mmCIF file of all heavy atoms in Angstrom:
data_model
loop_
_atom_site.group_PDB
_atom_site.id
_atom_site.type_symbol
_atom_site.label_atom_id
_atom_site.label_comp_id
_atom_site.label_asym_id
_atom_site.label_seq_id
_atom_site.Cartn_x
_atom_site.Cartn_y
_atom_site.Cartn_z
ATOM 1 N N ASP W 451 -12.468 5.183 14.230
ATOM 2 C CA ASP W 451 -12.496 5.005 15.682
ATOM 3 C C ASP W 451 -13.693 4.163 16.115
ATOM 4 O O ASP W 451 -13.596 3.353 17.037
ATOM 5 C CB ASP W 451 -12.554 6.374 16.374
ATOM 6 C CG ASP W 451 -11.164 6.978 16.535
ATOM 7 O OD1 ASP W 451 -10.189 6.215 16.480
ATOM 8 O OD2 ASP W 451 -11.062 8.197 16.733
ATOM 9 N N TYR W 452 -14.788 4.378 15.429
ATOM 10 C CA TYR W 452 -15.992 3.610 15.747
ATOM 11 C C TYR W 452 -15.728 2.118 15.562
ATOM 12 O O TYR W 452 -16.101 1.282 16.409
ATOM 13 C CB TYR W 452 -17.139 4.077 14.844
ATOM 14 C CG TYR W 452 -18.352 3.212 14.878
ATOM 15 C CD1 TYR W 452 -19.189 3.184 15.992
ATOM 16 C CD2 TYR W 452 -18.676 2.404 13.783
ATOM 17 C CE1 TYR W 452 -20.313 2.378 16.015
ATOM 18 C CE2 TYR W 452 -19.800 1.599 13.801
ATOM 19 C CZ TYR W 452 -20.613 1.586 14.916
ATOM 20 O OH TYR W 452 -21.723 0.782 14.928
ATOM 21 N N LEU W 453 -15.067 1.785 14.463
ATOM 22 C CA LEU W 453 -14.739 0.378 14.219
ATOM 23 C C LEU W 453 -13.728 -0.125 15.244
ATOM 24 O O LEU W 453 -13.849 -1.241 15.759
ATOM 25 C CB LEU W 453 -14.175 0.213 12.804
ATOM 26 C CG LEU W 453 -15.209 0.405 11.684
ATOM 27 C CD1 LEU W 453 -14.546 0.325 10.321
ATOM 28 C CD2 LEU W 453 -16.309 -0.647 11.793
ATOM 29 N N LEU W 454 -12.755 0.709 15.566
ATOM 30 C CA LEU W 454 -11.749 0.315 16.555
ATOM 31 C C LEU W 454 -12.399 0.034 17.905
ATOM 32 O O LEU W 454 -12.047 -0.925 18.588
ATOM 33 C CB LEU W 454 -10.688 1.414 16.691
ATOM 34 C CG LEU W 454 -9.751 1.566 15.497
ATOM 35 C CD1 LEU W 454 -8.804 2.729 15.689
ATOM 36 C CD2 LEU W 454 -8.958 0.271 15.280
ATOM 37 N N GLU W 455 -13.360 0.869 18.259
ATOM 38 C CA GLU W 455 -14.037 0.659 19.541
ATOM 39 C C GLU W 455 -14.845 -0.636 19.532
ATOM 40 O O GLU W 455 -14.906 -1.338 20.538
ATOM 41 C CB GLU W 455 -14.949 1.851 19.849
ATOM 42 C CG GLU W 455 -14.149 3.067 20.300
ATOM 43 C CD GLU W 455 -14.989 4.331 20.344
ATOM 44 O OE1 GLU W 455 -16.231 4.228 20.283
ATOM 45 O OE2 GLU W 455 -14.396 5.432 20.423
ATOM 46 N N ASN W 456 -15.441 -0.929 18.386
ATOM 47 C CA ASN W 456 -16.174 -2.189 18.284
ATOM 48 C C ASN W 456 -15.243 -3.382 18.405
ATOM 49 O O ASN W 456 -15.626 -4.421 18.950
ATOM 50 C CB ASN W 456 -16.937 -2.255 16.950
ATOM 51 C CG ASN W 456 -18.261 -1.538 17.039
ATOM 52 O OD1 ASN W 456 -18.774 -1.273 18.127
ATOM 53 N ND2 ASN W 456 -18.818 -1.199 15.898
ATOM 54 N N ILE W 457 -14.039 -3.221 17.901
ATOM 55 C CA ILE W 457 -13.069 -4.304 18.033
ATOM 56 C C ILE W 457 -12.655 -4.449 19.491
ATOM 57 O O ILE W 457 -12.616 -5.557 20.036
ATOM 58 C CB ILE W 457 -11.836 -4.032 17.148
ATOM 59 C CG1 ILE W 457 -12.226 -4.198 15.674
ATOM 60 C CG2 ILE W 457 -10.689 -4.966 17.508
ATOM 61 C CD1 ILE W 457 -11.163 -3.757 14.705
ATOM 62 N N LEU W 458 -12.389 -3.332 20.149
ATOM 63 C CA LEU W 458 -12.000 -3.373 21.563
ATOM 64 C C LEU W 458 -13.110 -3.974 22.415
ATOM 65 O O LEU W 458 -12.846 -4.728 23.345
ATOM 66 C CB LEU W 458 -11.678 -1.957 22.059
ATOM 67 C CG LEU W 458 -10.327 -1.378 21.664
ATOM 68 C CD1 LEU W 458 -10.173 0.019 22.216
ATOM 69 C CD2 LEU W 458 -9.191 -2.274 22.164
ATOM 70 N N ALA W 459 -14.332 -3.626 22.076
ATOM 71 C CA ALA W 459 -15.463 -4.096 22.878
ATOM 72 C C ALA W 459 -15.838 -5.534 22.555
ATOM 73 O O ALA W 459 -16.710 -6.118 23.197
ATOM 74 C CB ALA W 459 -16.660 -3.180 22.665
ATOM 75 N N GLY W 460 -15.179 -6.111 21.548
ATOM 76 C CA GLY W 460 -15.476 -7.492 21.217
ATOM 77 C C GLY W 460 -16.668 -7.665 20.293
ATOM 78 O O GLY W 460 -17.079 -8.782 19.989
ATOM 79 N N VAL W 461 -17.229 -6.558 19.839
ATOM 80 C CA VAL W 461 -18.361 -6.651 18.915
ATOM 81 C C VAL W 461 -17.889 -7.169 17.560
ATOM 82 O O VAL W 461 -18.561 -7.960 16.903
ATOM 83 C CB VAL W 461 -19.031 -5.267 18.743
ATOM 84 C CG1 VAL W 461 -20.153 -5.337 17.721
ATOM 85 C CG2 VAL W 461 -19.553 -4.781 20.090
ATOM 86 N N LEU W 513 -7.336 -7.246 17.402
ATOM 87 C CA LEU W 513 -7.580 -6.865 18.792
ATOM 88 C C LEU W 513 -6.283 -6.434 19.468
ATOM 89 O O LEU W 513 -6.219 -5.371 20.099
ATOM 90 C CB LEU W 513 -8.216 -8.042 19.554
ATOM 91 C CG LEU W 513 -8.540 -7.753 21.022
ATOM 92 C CD1 LEU W 513 -9.488 -6.563 21.143
ATOM 93 C CD2 LEU W 513 -9.168 -8.981 21.690
ATOM 94 N N THR W 516 -5.035 -3.170 17.993
ATOM 95 C CA THR W 516 -5.864 -2.042 18.406
ATOM 96 C C THR W 516 -5.580 -1.663 19.849
ATOM 97 O O THR W 516 -5.439 -0.483 20.188
ATOM 98 C CB THR W 516 -7.349 -2.395 18.245
ATOM 99 O OG1 THR W 516 -7.585 -2.766 16.889
ATOM 100 C CG2 THR W 516 -8.226 -1.208 18.592
ATOM 101 N N GLN W 517 -5.487 -2.674 20.694
ATOM 102 C CA GLN W 517 -5.189 -2.395 22.100
ATOM 103 C C GLN W 517 -3.844 -1.699 22.242
ATOM 104 O O GLN W 517 -3.718 -0.708 22.970
ATOM 105 C CB GLN W 517 -5.193 -3.701 22.904
ATOM 106 C CG GLN W 517 -6.603 -4.162 23.270
ATOM 107 C CD GLN W 517 -6.605 -5.495 23.978
ATOM 108 O OE1 GLN W 517 -5.673 -6.285 23.819
ATOM 109 N NE2 GLN W 517 -7.653 -5.761 24.741
ATOM 110 N N LYS W 520 -4.184 1.957 20.888
ATOM 111 C CA LYS W 520 -4.969 2.850 21.730
ATOM 112 C C LYS W 520 -4.323 3.029 23.099
ATOM 113 O O LYS W 520 -4.320 4.128 23.657
ATOM 114 C CB LYS W 520 -6.385 2.282 21.900
ATOM 115 C CG LYS W 520 -7.249 2.400 20.654
ATOM 116 C CD LYS W 520 -7.604 3.853 20.368
ATOM 117 C CE LYS W 520 -8.622 4.004 19.268
ATOM 118 N NZ LYS W 520 -8.853 5.420 18.917
ATOM 119 N N ARG W 521 -3.789 1.967 23.623
ATOM 120 C CA ARG W 521 -3.174 2.050 24.944
ATOM 121 C C ARG W 521 -1.957 2.959 24.923
ATOM 122 O O ARG W 521 -1.754 3.773 25.824
ATOM 123 C CB ARG W 521 -2.773 0.647 25.415
ATOM 124 C CG ARG W 521 -2.454 0.599 26.887
ATOM 125 C CD ARG W 521 -1.964 -0.762 27.355
ATOM 126 N NE ARG W 521 -1.365 -0.622 28.670
ATOM 127 C CZ ARG W 521 -2.053 -0.671 29.802
ATOM 128 N NH1 ARG W 521 -3.341 -0.912 29.773
ATOM 129 N NH2 ARG W 521 -1.451 -0.507 30.972
ATOM 130 N N PHE W 524 -3.148 6.443 24.839
ATOM 131 C CA PHE W 524 -3.802 6.784 26.104
ATOM 132 C C PHE W 524 -2.769 7.031 27.205
ATOM 133 O O PHE W 524 -2.812 8.061 27.897
ATOM 134 C CB PHE W 524 -4.746 5.646 26.504
ATOM 135 C CG PHE W 524 -5.622 5.963 27.676
ATOM 136 C CD1 PHE W 524 -6.515 7.025 27.633
ATOM 137 C CD2 PHE W 524 -5.578 5.190 28.823
ATOM 138 C CE1 PHE W 524 -7.337 7.324 28.716
ATOM 139 C CE2 PHE W 524 -6.395 5.479 29.908
ATOM 140 C CZ PHE W 524 -7.264 6.546 29.853
ATOM 141 N N PRO E 1312 -14.932 12.542 30.359
ATOM 142 C CA PRO E 1312 -15.779 11.482 29.778
ATOM 143 C C PRO E 1312 -15.024 10.627 28.760
ATOM 144 O O PRO E 1312 -15.186 9.394 28.741
ATOM 145 C CB PRO E 1312 -16.905 12.275 29.109
ATOM 146 C CG PRO E 1312 -17.004 13.528 29.909
ATOM 147 C CD PRO E 1312 -15.603 13.848 30.327
ATOM 148 N N GLU E 1313 -14.188 11.259 27.944
ATOM 149 C CA GLU E 1313 -13.375 10.503 26.991
ATOM 150 C C GLU E 1313 -12.445 9.541 27.724
ATOM 151 O O GLU E 1313 -12.263 8.396 27.303
ATOM 152 C CB GLU E 1313 -12.522 11.472 26.148
ATOM 153 C CG GLU E 1313 -13.299 12.253 25.095
ATOM 154 C CD GLU E 1313 -13.756 11.357 23.959
ATOM 155 O OE1 GLU E 1313 -12.997 10.441 23.594
ATOM 156 O OE2 GLU E 1313 -14.889 11.554 23.470
ATOM 157 N N VAL E 1314 -11.857 10.035 28.786
ATOM 158 C CA VAL E 1314 -10.930 9.210 29.553
ATOM 159 C C VAL E 1314 -11.656 8.013 30.160
ATOM 160 O O VAL E 1314 -11.174 6.874 30.078
ATOM 161 C CB VAL E 1314 -10.274 10.052 30.672
ATOM 162 C CG1 VAL E 1314 -9.514 9.154 31.636
ATOM 163 C CG2 VAL E 1314 -9.350 11.093 30.065
ATOM 164 N N PHE E 1315 -12.816 8.262 30.726
ATOM 165 C CA PHE E 1315 -13.577 7.162 31.329
ATOM 166 C C PHE E 1315 -13.922 6.113 30.281
ATOM 167 O O PHE E 1315 -13.851 4.905 30.530
ATOM 168 C CB PHE E 1315 -14.849 7.708 31.983
ATOM 169 C CG PHE E 1315 -14.587 8.670 33.111
ATOM 170 C CD1 PHE E 1315 -15.474 9.703 33.390
ATOM 171 C CD2 PHE E 1315 -13.455 8.537 33.909
ATOM 172 C CE1 PHE E 1315 -15.244 10.585 34.442
ATOM 173 C CE2 PHE E 1315 -13.210 9.422 34.961
ATOM 174 C CZ PHE E 1315 -14.105 10.440 35.226
ATOM 175 N N LYS E 1316 -14.275 6.586 29.116
ATOM 176 C CA LYS E 1316 -14.629 5.681 28.016
ATOM 177 C C LYS E 1316 -13.429 4.816 27.624
ATOM 178 O O LYS E 1316 -13.548 3.602 27.461
ATOM 179 C CB LYS E 1316 -15.089 6.523 26.821
ATOM 180 C CG LYS E 1316 -15.598 5.745 25.628
ATOM 181 C CD LYS E 1316 -16.088 6.745 24.588
ATOM 182 C CE LYS E 1316 -16.274 6.134 23.220
ATOM 183 N NZ LYS E 1316 -16.470 7.190 22.195
ATOM 184 N N MET E 1317 -12.288 5.464 27.480
ATOM 185 C CA MET E 1317 -11.082 4.720 27.117
ATOM 186 C C MET E 1317 -10.718 3.718 28.199
ATOM 187 O O MET E 1317 -10.312 2.594 27.893
ATOM 188 C CB MET E 1317 -9.905 5.693 26.922
ATOM 189 C CG MET E 1317 -9.588 6.090 25.494
ATOM 190 S SD MET E 1317 -10.224 5.048 24.191
ATOM 191 C CE MET E 1317 -8.876 3.883 23.983
ATOM 192 N N MET E 1318 -10.827 4.131 29.445
ATOM 193 C CA MET E 1318 -10.512 3.212 30.541
ATOM 194 C C MET E 1318 -11.360 1.954 30.439
ATOM 195 O O MET E 1318 -10.864 0.838 30.595
ATOM 196 C CB MET E 1318 -10.762 3.897 31.887
ATOM 197 C CG MET E 1318 -9.674 4.870 32.292
ATOM 198 S SD MET E 1318 -10.104 5.793 33.795
ATOM 199 C CE MET E 1318 -10.287 4.455 34.977
ATOM 200 N N LYS E 1319 -12.626 2.158 30.166
ATOM 201 C CA LYS E 1319 -13.530 1.015 30.056
ATOM 202 C C LYS E 1319 -13.128 0.120 28.888
ATOM 203 O O LYS E 1319 -13.028 -1.102 29.017
ATOM 204 C CB LYS E 1319 -14.968 1.522 29.875
ATOM 205 C CG LYS E 1319 -16.015 0.441 30.015
ATOM 206 C CD LYS E 1319 -17.408 1.018 29.865
ATOM 207 C CE LYS E 1319 -18.450 -0.084 29.766
ATOM 208 N NZ LYS E 1319 -19.739 0.429 29.269
ATOM 209 N N LEU E 1320 -12.869 0.750 27.730
ATOM 210 C CA LEU E 1320 -12.530 -0.034 26.544
ATOM 211 C C LEU E 1320 -11.215 -0.781 26.719
ATOM 212 O O LEU E 1320 -11.030 -1.886 26.189
ATOM 213 C CB LEU E 1320 -12.430 0.885 25.316
ATOM 214 C CG LEU E 1320 -13.761 1.335 24.710
ATOM 215 C CD1 LEU E 1320 -13.535 2.386 23.641
ATOM 216 C CD2 LEU E 1320 -14.512 0.135 24.129
ATOM 217 N N LEU E 1321 -10.303 -0.174 27.452
ATOM 218 C CA LEU E 1321 -8.995 -0.806 27.650
ATOM 219 C C LEU E 1321 -8.948 -1.631 28.930
ATOM 220 O O LEU E 1321 -7.894 -2.146 29.300
ATOM 221 C CB LEU E 1321 -7.901 0.270 27.692
ATOM 222 C CG LEU E 1321 -7.638 0.994 26.377
ATOM 223 C CD1 LEU E 1321 -6.680 2.157 26.578
ATOM 224 C CD2 LEU E 1321 -7.074 0.026 25.334
ATOM 225 N N ASN E 1322 -10.117 -1.741 29.580
ATOM 226 C CA ASN E 1322 -10.178 -2.556 30.797
ATOM 227 C C ASN E 1322 -9.236 -2.056 31.880
ATOM 228 O O ASN E 1322 -8.572 -2.852 32.548
ATOM 229 C CB ASN E 1322 -9.818 -4.009 30.454
ATOM 230 C CG ASN E 1322 -11.057 -4.825 30.222
ATOM 231 O OD1 ASN E 1322 -12.057 -4.641 30.925
ATOM 232 N ND2 ASN E 1322 -11.004 -5.703 29.245
ATOM 233 N N MET E 1323 -9.180 -0.741 32.028
ATOM 234 C CA MET E 1323 -8.298 -0.197 33.046
ATOM 235 C C MET E 1323 -9.116 0.352 34.219
ATOM 236 O O MET E 1323 -10.169 0.957 34.031
ATOM 237 C CB MET E 1323 -7.438 0.923 32.453
ATOM 238 C CG MET E 1323 -6.415 0.420 31.455
ATOM 239 S SD MET E 1323 -5.560 1.776 30.637
ATOM 240 C CE MET E 1323 -4.727 2.519 32.034
ATOM 241 N N SER E 1324 -8.597 0.145 35.417
ATOM 242 C CA SER E 1324 -9.260 0.644 36.612
ATOM 243 C C SER E 1324 -8.603 1.944 37.061
ATOM 244 O O SER E 1324 -7.536 2.317 36.575
ATOM 245 C CB SER E 1324 -9.151 -0.394 37.732
ATOM 246 O OG SER E 1324 -7.789 -0.514 38.101
#
Side-chain angles (χ1 to χ4, degrees):
Chain W
D451 276 340
Y452 169 72
L453 290 176
L454 289 176
E455 285 169 14
N456 277 342
I457 289 171
L458 282 179
V461 177
L513 181 58
T516 303
Q517 280 176 336
K520 287 291 189 186
R521 194 184 165 86
F524 188 60
Chain E
E1313 286 289 323
V1314 169
F1315 298 149
K1316 185 176 165 192
M1317 262 341 270
M1318 283 173 60
K1319 191 178 170 195
L1320 283 172
L1321 292 172
N1322 264 322
M1323 291 173 64
S1324 66

